[in-house]
Amino acid sequence: MATRRTQVGIVGAGPAGLLLAQLLMQRGIATIVLEQRDRRYVENRIRAGVLEQGTVDLLGEAGVGHRVAVEGQVHGGIEISLNGQRSRIDLARLTGGKAVTVYGQTEVIRDLINARLKAGGEIIFEAEEVTPLDLTGDQPRLSYRHNGEVCELTCDFIAGCDGFHGVCRSQIPKSVLRTYERVYPYAWLGILAEAPSPSHELIYASHPRGFALFSMRPPTRSRLYLQCTPDTDLAAWPDNRVWDELRLRLGPDDAGMLNEGPVLEKSITPMRSFVAEPLRHGRMFLAGDAAHIVPPTGAKGLNLAASDVRYLSWAFFQHYETGDSTRLDSYSKTALSRVWKAERFSWWMTLVLHKASEEDGFEARIRMAELEYLLSSQAAMTALAENYVGLPF
Ligand code: RFL
Ligand code: PHB
């Protein structure tokens, strides 16, 4: 068996794991990242697109801020389309100049992998059967299999950044871990198309036929979503049906803005809210989707992974540079306080914008009143804008 040692063993090469590794490496803290998939798969997984300013700033601190600064699109507003009528929410004016940046998660991942490998950092791709061991002892370990060989990594700490279906959270005893969950009765059918998006800002559309989102991947692609049911069969959705439905949900006045182009990817995303507490067990810390999930409506998942990692990296800096573990001890409480606010916002955005399948007349009217109120009240729009651009971290 091959045995090795590092200071922080990181499970998962998603945004949380890679960003943590990069921040720690810059302060001289040794890390090894274990990732179950191969590099190509990790770099091509299409997911988030909207970065809060705090996330962009953190990428800069991690030494990977250059490309996002050049290629990311800064958006000072979003549009809400209500039954085909578009209204703009001026994020910048309502938040004292704040904005979001549209830049694909695929690009964030590529930037982080390139920077890590260039600096001589290690990512072990295709690490199989990763298992965290001895979490409550002084020397936690990660056992795994690589190229057919059984290996073991001894660590000071383990960072569980292995996403919702990862292995780290499941190692926490049931008597310790408390989970909170809401599964929604809808999903998103998403496409990536080689065509410019219909508007230069994102359009969130609430329509009697269901929700739709018109987003983009700069410089030339559109990323478009349709509310569907979780059991939707993609075979029933040939490209022309997707385009027709997108046009219908954009409404007759705006349907002409939609540009069709070759569909490069098509997938179904189920929608769930989930939080596991606490984010620490012994010497293992959870960050990102390993600990919490939000429905994508508020564009918060990747940004929450970034805020967790910021708090966790500060805690490791303090521990290694001063011997003080106060921040490691308060990490779970600090991170969860921000997580729950993003959970609330994502839940609210999801409920007001989606049509429930068994929506009764009362619920439908209340939802419509909420949207009309939102679009007519500075106070309501400010609350949305403040959360959408991201609460401070
Ligand atoms: P990830 O990205 O899931 O990465 C976890 C990594 O761990 C690996 N792994 C393992 N490795 C070793 N051993 C094991 N046993 C392992 N099990 C898993 C996985 O292969 C993977 O590489 O989690 P992380 O780093 O916490 O990052 C979270 C974000 O990826 C996620 O929250 C966002 O993508 C969510 N999200 C969005 N977030 C935003 O902030 N803005 C958005 O606009 C946005 N849009 C979205 C989204 C997610 C979507 N989907 C598909 C869920 C749109 C969609 C459609
Ligand atoms: C995306 O571009 O993939 C995207 C944008 C905004 C969201 C969710 C996803 O709320």
Side-chain angles (χ1 to χ4, degrees), residues 11-17 34-37 42 45-50 105 130 161-163 165-167 223 225 269 287-290 296 299-303 305:
V11 187
L34 300 180
E35 165 59 48
Q36 71 177 359
R37 303 285 191 161
V42 170
R45 202 164 29 192
I46 299 169
R47 286 186 168 179
V50 176
Q105 183 167 326
V130 175
C161 302
D162 50 348
H165 299 288
V167 68
R223 179 77 172 140
Y225 298 97
T269 304
D289 278 16
K300 290 285 164 246
L302 169 57
N303 295 298

Side-chain angles (χ1 to χ4, degrees), residues 298-311:
K300 290 285 164 246
L302 169 57
N303 295 298
L304 277 185
S307 60
D308 283 357
V309 161
R310 160 159 277 180
Y311 297 132

